[in-house]
Structures are given as C-alpha cells and as structure tokens.
Amino acid sequence: MSTELDRLRAFRAGDATPDPDARAAARAALLERIDAARAGASARPVRHARRRALRRPRLLAGACGLAAVAVAALVLALGSGGVAPEAATAAQALRSVAVVAARQPDIALKPGEFWYVRTKSFQPQYDREGWIREDWAALDGERRFVRRELPDGRTEEHASRDALTYSFFPRPLTHEQVLALPRDADALYRVVEQAGAVWARDNGRPVADRTHEMFAIVGDWLRAGPPLPADLRAALYRVAARLPDVELLGDVRDVEGRAGVGVAQDDDGRRRELVFDPETSELLSERTVDAGSGALVYEVAYLESGVVDAIDARP
Amino acid sequence: MIADAREDPRAFAELFDRHYDLIAGWLRRRVGPALADELAAETFLQAFDARARYDTARADARPWLFGIAANLLRRHRRAEERRLRAYARAASRPSDDADLAAIDARLDAGAAAGRLATALASLGPGERDVLLLHAWAELTYQQIADALGIPVGTVRSRLHRARGVVRELLARCGEAESDDLRAASAAIREELR
C-alpha cells in the first residue's frame, strides 16, 4: 500500500521532462544578462542601488546587535524590567521571561472573534524588502490571510475553514487539547520531549537530537495563535530553559530595529534564534542564521496581534 | 561556484547547467510547459541579479533557486489551480478505449490522479509550496524553510496538514469513489459485450 507521498511523487512525473529548445533559450538569455553585467551595464542598476540604500540602516542595526552581545547582561538590566539583571545564561533569561509570562493577563478568544497577527518576513538572500502578512483566525477554524510584498508589490490572499490545530506529533492538537496540557514544567517537558523524539525520527535523525526538535516546538507553540494561557506560556519558557546548547544572545535587534532578549540554538548548520520582549514575554521575532558564515537566512518579526471582531478588522 | 560568479559572471552559467532541469521540471509539473519554461528562465535571471546577496558559505544552491521559483509561481496561483481542476475533471472521465483489461486499472489510477489534483488545488498556496518542494524537489525541512523564508516548525505543520488533506481524499477515493468507478467500469463492459 503506497503512502500519499508515493502517489504524489508519481503524479505527473512525466511532465517534468525539460524541453531542450526552452533550455537553450533560457541559457542564452542568462548569458546575455551575464555579458551585460560584465560590460558594466547591469540590466536593473537603478533598482538595485535604491534597494541597497534602503537596507543599509538594517545592516548597521544588525552589527550593533552583535556588538551588544558582550554587554548583554547590562542591557537586560537597563530594559526596565522583566528580565533579571543577573541573567548570564539563556536558562536564566528564559526563566525570567517565564516569570514575566505568568504575570500577563489571559486572552481568551470567544466564538465569533478573531485572533489577528501581523508579521513581517525578510529574506536578504533574495534581494527583497520582505513581506507583510496579516492573519485572522477564529476558534471554529475560519481564517484568512493577506500577504503583501514590500515595498509596494503584489498582494496575495487566501481564505479557508478547517479545524484549528497546533503542530504536534504524532497528530496535531486541537485548541482544547492544548489548553489541557500540563502547567508543571517537568510534566510539560516530558510531553514536549515525546513530540521531539517523534519529530526527530520523522526527520530521519537520531532520537538524541530531540532537544533540537524541542526548541523548534517551543517556538511553534509560542507563535501559534490564538494565544495560549499565561501559565502555559510560562511553563513553555521553563521547558526551553532546560534545553541543552541554548545560548544567550543578549540584546538583539529585529528587522524592525526593536530590541529584545535573544536566545539561540545551533542545529544542522543553522542557528535558530528566538527574540522576546523582556517586558511582556511576547515573541518579537524568529531568525535563522547560517551557523558558519553568520549571515541572516530569514527573519519573521511579529509586529502586532490582538483580538478583533471580524476578518479584515485590526486591533 | 556562486563566489566564483562574483568574480567571473560566466561561472554562473555552470549553476544554470547544474540546476536548470530540476527547476524547470518542478515548474512544469506545477503549471505546464509554456508558463514553466518562462518562469524557469526568469528564475535564473533573478538569481543572477541577486547573486551578490547569496550566502556563498552554502554549498547547495537548490533552496535558493527553488525559493525564487516559488516566489515567481505565486503570481500564477490561479492558473495553477485552474489547471489542477481541469486535470481532475479529465482524469475522472471514463475513456472510450475498448481495451477491457486496462479499463479497471485506468479508472482506479484516473480516480486517484483526479483526487490528487483536487487535493492539490484545495490547499493554500503556502501548503502546496511546502508539499511539492518536499515531494517533487526532495528538499529537507530546513531547506524548504530557507527557500520560503518561514520557520522550520511552520514547514512541518504545513506539510502535516497538506499530507492529511491528500491522504483523506485518496482514502475517500479508495473506499467510495473507486466503488462508483468500478460500477461504471462494469457498466461499460456490459455495453461493449
């Protein structure tokens, strides 16, 4: 009995044969562009110059973020807040964020209401300014998103209605099942550990790599909407505080220039960074950085979220 | 190779030679030959223009190229969905071929292919990108995350949901639809007899 993936792999496989004439034409077009570049007449010089000019302040902000790592503990102390000034390790910072998280009010989404999230994603390797995406999701699974390419590019929309679930293994959890998860950090750790082990196996990795999957799972759950209860978010931060090989990045600036507390874990050539607002415990940004070169691969920044009455309404 | 291309743009042609068939083949399966060939050519032009931004520490350029191709495809989402629905309709239509031995098998295969097309058309564009980068381009979860600029957890949840939709529709096909088709096949046999 073949799986759905086997069926899919065979589906229209014959269509994949390339056409030699199209290939030759594409190659000729590329060589023409290459020759133009060699002659110093790039096809779109003006556009590139403008884009680079726009991006420069961001790169500087990134450099500041890196320089600030050395004085992270001091910066955290100045952050008015939530995070203990003595946080010198990721575990300490995450435990402090957990304390802040536990103090936040619960946001309970009611039937007929929508959880709104606005995000910005950015992939420097594509020479793009990024995208703004707005999502609306209701408890009954009704949802819609609008995605807009920056600075003023095309828009894409999609609406759907299906069961609201949270990424988990071996099967997704419903919102009710997530609400029933343990708040005790030991018990929650074991739940996340089991999921991490199954994810690792699913990814063809040794079970020993489960702690890397667990770090990703914590990120998934913090990102997922509608919002989790404050005590569950606090417990998730405590789970993250126990994971090995998580390092404190200190004061990190996201793509929007917002400062937060960053923690990171290296995995398979990538460094996955989570950046939190120390005053609210909210996830500000997720970044993936090439562990070898330190180059940013992509970043997703969470700009705004809240409860609204209707799709297309904003907080 | 891409590092070389910064010094000598001609080295970029080697990237084309190595990856064109893969990119063009993936696009052809998604949107058909005419549009795919145009998008494949544009993928390499955009890659060349953006070469200075590519992180040369990375050995495998495929996620980068597929990311450009997937972004170009986003403009043609409706064309892709129309094509999938047309395919689904055609696949479920009984053939007038009189080769009796082939009828059952073809109807079963046609029903499954039609269901696959229906499932792919019903997915959100992000889910379809993730599923087809996994199934057809054989990228790893991390490579898909790099290509689409989304967290790896989002790749997994989209893939999980997309596989669930496909599995569900194929299962329905096996239980209900192909019973209908077998009945249709039996009726055709009777008519031909």
Side-chain angles (χ1 to χ4, degrees), chain B residues 71-88:
Chain B
N71 190 52
L72 288 170
L73 259 184
R74 285 177 171 273
R75 294 172 204 183
H76 304 283
R77 176 186 149 202
R78 298 205 189 284
E80 180 180 25
E81 289 172 0
R82 274 198 302 276
R83 186 168 182 273
L84 283 164
R85 292 202 181 92
Y87 187 93

Side-chain angles (χ1 to χ4, degrees), chain A residues 12 33 44 157 213 270, chain B residues 29 49 83 146 156:
Chain A
R12 279 167 34 184
R33 180 74 60 96
R44 284 179 284 180
E157 297 183 32
E213 303 293 342
R270 291 283 179 277
Chain B
R29 282 174 93 172
D49 286 348
R83 186 168 182 273
D146 289 358
R156 289 188 302 211

Side-chain angles (χ1 to χ4, degrees), chain B residues 5-32:
Chain B
R6 285 185 192 167
E7 304 301 323
D8 173 14
R10 284 255 165 199
F12 205 86
E14 204 186 311
L15 193 83
F16 177 95
D17 294 339
R18 188 179 290 186
H19 297 301
Y20 175 82
D21 287 358
L22 197 62
I23 299 292
W26 186 75
L27 287 166
R28 281 174 154 248
R29 282 174 93 172
R30 290 195 64 169
V31 291

Side-chain angles (χ1 to χ4, degrees), chain A residues 221-256:
Chain A
W221 287 6
L222 291 172
R223 166 192 337 116
L228 303 177
D231 55 355
L232 182 55
R233 285 171 53 83
L236 277 172
Y237 285 115
R238 291 201 176 87
V239 168
R242 295 177 183 204
L243 296 174
D245 308 324
V246 180
E247 72 177 294
L248 180 65
L249 301 174
D251 179 29
V252 174
R253 289 188 184 272
D254 72 2
V255 65
E256 292 292 279

